[in-house]
Amino acid sequence: MIVIHARGNEKIGIGNLARCYELVKFLAKEHEVRAIFECDEKLFSRFSQNAFRSESLEHSKELIARLKPKIYINDLLDADKSLSDFVRGTGAQKIVSFNTLEYGFEPDVLIIADEFNYPAPHGKFKVFRSFNYYIVGEDVLKNRTKFIPKKQLENVLLSFGGSDPAMFSEYFADVIKENDKHNYTLVLGPAMSEERKIRIKSIKKTNLDFIDSPADLIELLKKHDILLTLGGMSGYEAMTLGVPVCGVQWEYLAYVVKSFGELKMMNDLGNISDAYSNLLNLNIDRVNEICQNAYLKIDGNALANITKVLEGFIDE
């Protein structure tokens, strides 16, 4: 039994849930796997296949004890040593982490899905590190075609995650000018409150449309010339599809945008106060160069690569 444990809500977003759900679906083809997702019922309705909904960490522990995993995969932001100790006590033979170890969580394996310029944690665990471990869903891969440079940057998709904890949706809805020769679509994520969505949609502009909790972000990406994001999962999906990505620096993910910029995989628009102006002044040749570089680096094989790592444990 493989158990995958993640959390998502309006405060922290839903990227961890989304990537873990893709792994659950992939593993379920050949392995016994269950997910434990700490989230509300509305979010869980999007991620319910082979999964249990948990109300809290204590509830999750009860589920882990019942499932008795051979392999436990953790994607919590705040996992600590007491949790890894608990999981080992249930009989888990291997513990894998997809997330930070700063709270003392003790895995056997740490998977880091980037190639950024910071040192990987070290300890009594094995590290697998590469963009080749960044999970992109199979539905995205089915839509990956030959790279084609963009001829224009007119249609702009704004998607700041399932909850947009940075509150950039409100900012851009306010700052966009109707005469700037661009058309904008702003995604209102599924983890946003209804009250917040109503406030944002009350801003009316002729070149600004809203789409609420889209079931298919892939089609939206394909219909637009460029994506603005915080640097999370939607950015990787766009890179996989050959859609140019712009990142806006937010306190908790600024290093991601900066690092992607340094690797020439994302157009770094800087902080929020400069981002709109920098967007309007993008050079299309430079954008296409960066986009092609990202397209080649994010090849979409992460699910198979991670499964290979896990199957090595199963065979032990």
Side-chain angles (χ1 to χ4, degrees):
M1 168 72 76
I2 301 171
V3 169
I4 302 175
H5 185 189
R7 180 185 300 133
N9 52 50
E10 185 169 10
K11 182 178 179 181
I12 65 173
I14 64 172
N16 295 16
L17 293 179
R19 68 181 178 183
C20 286
Y21 187 56
E22 292 297 335
L23 183 57
V24 168
K25 291 189 293 182
F26 190 83
L27 290 172
K29 298 173 185 178
E30 296 186 10
H31 301 283
E32 187 179 12
V33 58
R34 293 291 182 273
I36 299 172
F37 290 151
E38 296 178 20
C39 60
D40 62 29
E41 292 182 0
K42 180 181 176 183
L43 282 180
F44 186 70
S45 67
R46 302 171 68 97
F47 307 113
S48 59
Q49 180 180 320
N50 285 48
F52 294 96
R53 189 179 78 85
S54 172
E55 298 282 354
S56 65
L57 181 58
E58 289 306 311
H59 185 197
S60 297
K61 288 181 176 180
E62 294 173 10
L63 292 169
I64 294 167
R66 187 200 313 170
L67 293 168
K68 299 186 183 303
K70 179 178 181 179
I71 298 174
Y72 169 81
I73 301 172
N74 182 280
D75 201 1
L76 302 182
L77 293 169
D78 58 355
D80 59 17
K81 185 177 184 299
S82 66
L83 178 57
S84 51
D85 288 346
F86 174 84
V87 173
R88 290 190 200 283
T90 67
Q93 296 177 23
K94 291 292 182 181
I95 296 178
V96 179
S97 177
F98 284 168
N99 222 305
T100 178
L101 304 182
E102 64 180 291
Y103 296 97
F105 189 75
E106 295 183 349
D108 300 297
V109 171
L110 174 64
I111 296 179
I112 304 174
D114 68 43
E115 299 171 15
F116 298 154
N117 187 27
Y118 65 88
H122 57 86
K124 296 179 180 180
F125 50 84
K126 190 171 184 179
V127 177
F128 294 83
R129 184 177 192 179
S130 170
F131 285 123
N132 294 328
Y133 295 110
Y134 193 93
I135 294 172
V136 176
E138 289 187 282
D139 289 342
V140 177
L141 300 181
K142 291 175 184 176
N143 286 271
R144 181 177 167 96
T145 59
K146 181 180 178 181
F147 177 77
I148 300 175
K150 296 294 182 181
K151 296 180 179 179
Q152 62 178 20
L153 301 175
E154 180 180 340
N155 298 306
V156 181
L157 182 64
L158 308 169
S159 181
F160 301 111
S163 65
D164 181 12
M167 309 294 282
F168 286 174
S169 298
E170 289 87 340
Y171 177 85
F172 275 98
D174 280 330
V175 77
I176 286 170
K177 297 178 181 178
E178 291 184 288
N179 62 350
D180 75 1
K181 299 180 181 180
H182 291 74
N183 298 311
Y184 298 89
T185 302
L186 176 56
V187 174
L188 304 177
M192 284 186 179
S193 68
E194 291 304 315
E195 293 79 6
R196 184 179 174 195
K197 291 177 181 178
I198 290 170
R199 288 197 304 271
I200 295 171
K201 287 191 286 188
S202 69
I203 301 171
K204 307 294 184 183
K205 295 183 179 180
T206 57
N207 60 340
L208 175 62
D209 293 320
F210 302 99
I211 184 162
D212 191 347
S213 305
D216 191 349
L217 188 63
I218 300 167
E219 286 303 314
L220 274 178
L221 287 168
K222 290 166 62 179
K223 291 177 181 177
H224 288 79
D225 301 316
I226 196 164
L227 169 72
L228 259 70
T229 182
L230 296 176
M233 191 167 185
S234 61
Y236 284 87
E237 292 176 344
M239 292 175 192
T240 304
L241 295 172
V243 177
V245 182
C246 291
V248 185
Q249 294 179 18
W250 170 55
E251 180 180 1
Y252 296 107
L253 288 177
Y255 80 95
V256 173
V257 173
K258 290 178 182 177
S259 297
F260 270 131
E262 291 168 359
L263 292 173
K264 296 180 174 59
M265 296 174 66
M266 180 182 291
N267 302 276
D268 181 359
L269 299 183
N271 60 45
I272 188 63
S273 61
D274 299 323
Y276 179 61
S277 174
N278 289 337
L279 170 67
L280 298 182
N281 289 295
L282 287 173
N283 177 281
I284 191 167
D285 292 332
R286 178 63 172 159
V287 168
N288 280 322
E289 178 187 348
I290 290 171
C291 182
Q292 184 173 24
N293 184 48
Y295 174 86
L296 295 173
K297 284 183 176 291
I298 308 296
D299 63 6
N301 291 321
L303 290 169
N305 294 335
I306 293 170
T307 298
K308 184 177 180 180
V309 172
L310 299 178
E311 287 178 341
F313 304 148
I314 293 170
D315 294 338
E316 289 181 357

